[in-house]
Amino acid sequence: MRIAVNRPDRLVIEHRPRSLMLLLAAATGAALAIGVDVAWHGSFWALLPLALALALAFAVRFDFLSHSTITFDRTSGLVEVLWQDDGGTTRRTFPLAEVSGAEVDMIRSHDGPAIRRTSIKVGDTRRQLTRAFLSGPGPAKTAQAINDWLAR
């Protein structure tokens, strides 16, 4: 997650999972290269890496579309959460006056690191800002930026 705009009247946060997209694209290229090399030498085993490359290409295609944009706007008095993925666009708006702050939702695993995502408190409910959980410091920094912006 990154803070795209941080002005007194507007805060824009974007979440575009670029590292995952690049990893999938690199894996697709590697599988395609291996499949072509094996096919060049006349083996039917080339179908396995080529099928993997095709599956990864579909994953890359759908993952490149996936992103979230969250806009806090004092001028309009609204918070807009926009999710775009292969299923289409989902837009949610909330009155800025009802947003009391941001928090970090955390899931702990018994065999792995904790994963987190940022949510906002709207009235008595918590609304998630992204569909994805992250393992880095991004959600905590985002929650702090939102709380700082709301306190201005």
Side-chain angles (χ1 to χ4, degrees), residues 7-72:
R7 298 189 316 241
D9 64 328
R10 189 174 180 89
L11 176 68
V12 179
I13 300 163
E14 291 182 341
H15 174 68
R16 296 175 186 262
R18 288 187 175 100
S19 58
L20 178 60
M21 292 185 277
L22 293 174
L23 179 66
L24 284 172
T28 301
L32 185 61
I34 291 169
V36 168
D37 183 53
V38 173
W40 186 264
H41 291 91
S43 175
F44 285 106
W45 288 105
L47 293 176
L48 292 176
L50 290 175
L52 177 63
L54 182 63
L56 288 171
F58 279 114
V60 168
R61 189 254 188 251
F62 292 118
D63 200 38
F64 269 116
L65 297 176
S66 172
H67 71 277
S68 303
T69 304
I70 302 94
T71 305
F72 293 79

Side-chain angles (χ1 to χ4, degrees), residues 115-126:
I115 53 176
R116 301 166 183 85
R117 73 175 166 202
T118 308
S119 63
I120 56 174
K121 295 179 281 185
V122 181
D124 294 336
T125 61
R126 290 168 56 161

Side-chain angles (χ1 to χ4, degrees), residues 59-146:
V60 168
R61 189 254 188 251
F62 292 118
D63 200 38
F64 269 116
L65 297 176
S66 172
H67 71 277
S68 303
T69 304
I70 302 94
T71 305
F72 293 79
D73 191 357
R74 284 200 170 100
T75 306
S76 66
L78 294 174
V79 176
E80 179 183 61
V81 179
L82 178 70
W83 290 330
Q84 292 180 324
D85 58 17
D86 59 320
T89 301
T90 304
R91 183 181 314 256
R92 294 183 178 176
T93 57
F94 309 104
L96 183 59
E98 293 183 16
V99 176
S100 58
E103 297 179 342
V104 177
D105 298 333
M106 182 172 22
I107 295 178
R108 291 202 178 269
S109 174
H110 65 281
D111 61 346
I115 53 176
R116 301 166 183 85
R117 73 175 166 202
T118 308
S119 63
I120 56 174
K121 295 179 281 185
V122 181
D124 294 336
T125 61
R126 290 168 56 161
R127 304 292 184 154
Q128 65 189 22
L129 297 182
T130 63
R131 293 182 180 165
F133 281 88
L134 305 170
S135 60
K141 288 181 180 180
T142 302
Q144 185 62 45
I146 292 169

